[in-house]
Amino acid sequence: MSNLYTAEASATGGRAGTTKSSDGRLDLPLSVPASIGGDDGPGTNPEQLFAAGYAACFQGALGVIARRQKIELSDQSTITARVGLQRSGLGFGLDIELEGHFPGLSPEQGLELMHAAHGVCPYSVATRGNVDVRLSVR
């Protein structure tokens, strides 16, 4: 299998540093949330970046599944990703929830679509077997 696209980003200074993509489109300060001992500065953090990427990727996978199943998704449909940082033994782990909002679909239809998208979304494939990802519909 060959890559269709490769993103490249570098971080300097860890959680309280900066992160920047090789093409310069992403150039962000990082701050540590107060809840994990940081100064809660104005920068973003790895969990927010992961949540944003996962939500966008999952929404894209959902669109593919909906088109395959000939289901019309409202352009107001959203995926909200919540990514928590947890202690796990001597290290850390992630806690992930994906919540869908699908105007015009029943909660059951929305959840069925989400389960199908969870089977093909690259983020879901990457986390499978490593992180429990909860799916819900608002």
Side-chain angles (χ1 to χ4, degrees), residues 10-20 26-32 39 41-46 48-49:
S10 299
T12 304
R15 286 181 162 272
T18 60
T19 189
K20 183 176 183 174
L26 180 75
D27 189 355
L28 300 170
L30 300 172
S31 297
V32 180
D39 66 359
T44 189
N45 60 65
Q48 286 177 332
L49 293 169

Side-chain angles (χ1 to χ4, degrees), residues 99-123:
E99 180 184 78
H101 175 65
F102 309 108
L105 296 183
S106 71
E108 295 78 20
Q109 287 176 303
L111 195 55
E112 188 175 308
L113 276 176
M114 288 185 72
H115 280 285
H118 194 45
V120 299
C121 172
Y123 278 65

Side-chain angles (χ1 to χ4, degrees), residues 3-8 22:
N3 288 337
L4 300 174
Y5 170 76
T6 300
E8 180 180 322
S22 60

Side-chain angles (χ1 to χ4, degrees), residues 86-93:
Q86 300 180 329
R87 286 209 182 273
S88 178
L90 297 176
F92 298 91

Side-chain angles (χ1 to χ4, degrees), residues 31-133:
S31 297
V32 180
S35 62
I36 59 173
D39 66 359
D40 211 22
T44 189
N45 60 65
E47 292 72 34
Q48 286 177 332
L49 293 169
F50 191 89
Y54 203 160
C57 188
F58 198 87
Q59 181 77 29
L62 202 81
V64 169
I65 296 298
R67 283 189 297 282
R68 286 181 186 165
Q69 295 183 9
K70 297 185 180 6
I71 295 171
E72 181 101 14
L73 274 184
S74 162
D75 58 357
Q76 300 299 310
S77 70
T78 59
I79 295 295
T80 300
R82 295 181 184 90
V83 176
L85 181 66
Q86 300 180 329
R87 286 209 182 273
S88 178
L90 297 176
F92 298 91
L94 297 177
D95 173 62
I96 301 174
E97 177 186 0
L98 300 175
E99 180 184 78
H101 175 65
F102 309 108
L105 296 183
S106 71
E108 295 78 20
Q109 287 176 303
L111 195 55
E112 188 175 308
L113 276 176
M114 288 185 72
H115 280 285
H118 194 45
V120 299
C121 172
Y123 278 65
S124 293
V125 171
T127 58
R128 188 164 296 121
N130 299 309
V131 180
D132 287 330
V133 178

